Amino acid sequence: MSEQSEHFDPDERAAHAEKLRRAGYSEADVQREVTELEEKSATAARIFDLRRIIGGLFVVYGVIVTITGLTDDQAAIDKAQGININLWTGIGMLLLGIFFLAWLKLRPAAHPQPPLPPEAVSPEGETPRGE
């Protein structure tokens, strides 16, 4: 599945293209405008990838809770039945956050495919078969 179909619904694309045609824009203008919208949509999807947000928050909170666990006094540990719960929870949060960030780094969101030139697209919007 291409990046374009994931982030820019074909029905929306057709509707937007039809609006531009009715407004007096040429086919080249319509194609350029639709391509720009697809690129913006794909860029926004990469920027706001949930793995980045979740991973970043877990790392930040994990550092805070781990530091709290390292500086806990004996009374706080005794209150948790002898387990330094802040330390273990902080380490767990750090590991989860690092997992999400590593996942993002190893499997980034796909880049959009380069648009086809206008002459490669038939009037019906279908790509012609190879010759």
Side-chain angles (χ1 to χ4, degrees):
M1 182 176 274
S2 72
E3 186 73 20
Q4 292 174 351
S5 63
E6 289 178 18
H7 299 291
F8 201 78
D9 185 28
D11 294 333
E12 290 177 27
R13 177 182 178 157
H16 186 72
E18 188 57 35
K19 275 192 232 177
L20 290 173
R21 280 188 200 97
R22 276 190 256 128
Y25 288 95
S26 70
E27 188 63 34
D29 291 336
V30 170
Q31 194 69 20
R32 185 174 21 84
E33 181 72 21
V34 169
T35 302
E36 287 174 9
L37 288 172
E38 288 173 342
E39 289 171 0
K40 287 178 185 178
S41 177
T43 301
R46 281 193 306 275
I47 291 172
F48 296 108
D49 191 342
L50 286 178
R51 296 174 293 180
R52 178 180 316 228
I53 296 168
I54 292 170
L57 285 174
F58 268 99
V59 167
V60 169
Y61 291 138
V63 167
I64 293 169
V65 175
T66 300
I67 290 172
T68 302
L70 291 172
T71 60
D72 271 346
D73 58 351
Q74 191 59 40
I77 295 171
D78 290 340
K79 190 187 265 188
Q81 298 180 354
I83 299 170
N84 193 342
I85 195 72
N86 286 333
L87 179 63
W88 290 109
T89 302
I91 290 171
M93 291 174 79
L94 274 171
L95 290 175
L96 184 63
I98 290 169
F99 166 76
F100 272 97
L101 294 176
W103 181 19
L104 177 69
K105 183 74 173 173
L106 295 173
R107 304 279 277 182
H111 294 287
Q113 295 177 353
L116 294 173
E119 60 273 3
V121 179
S122 68
E124 293 82 30
E126 298 173 354
T127 306
R129 299 280 181 218
E131 298 175 348

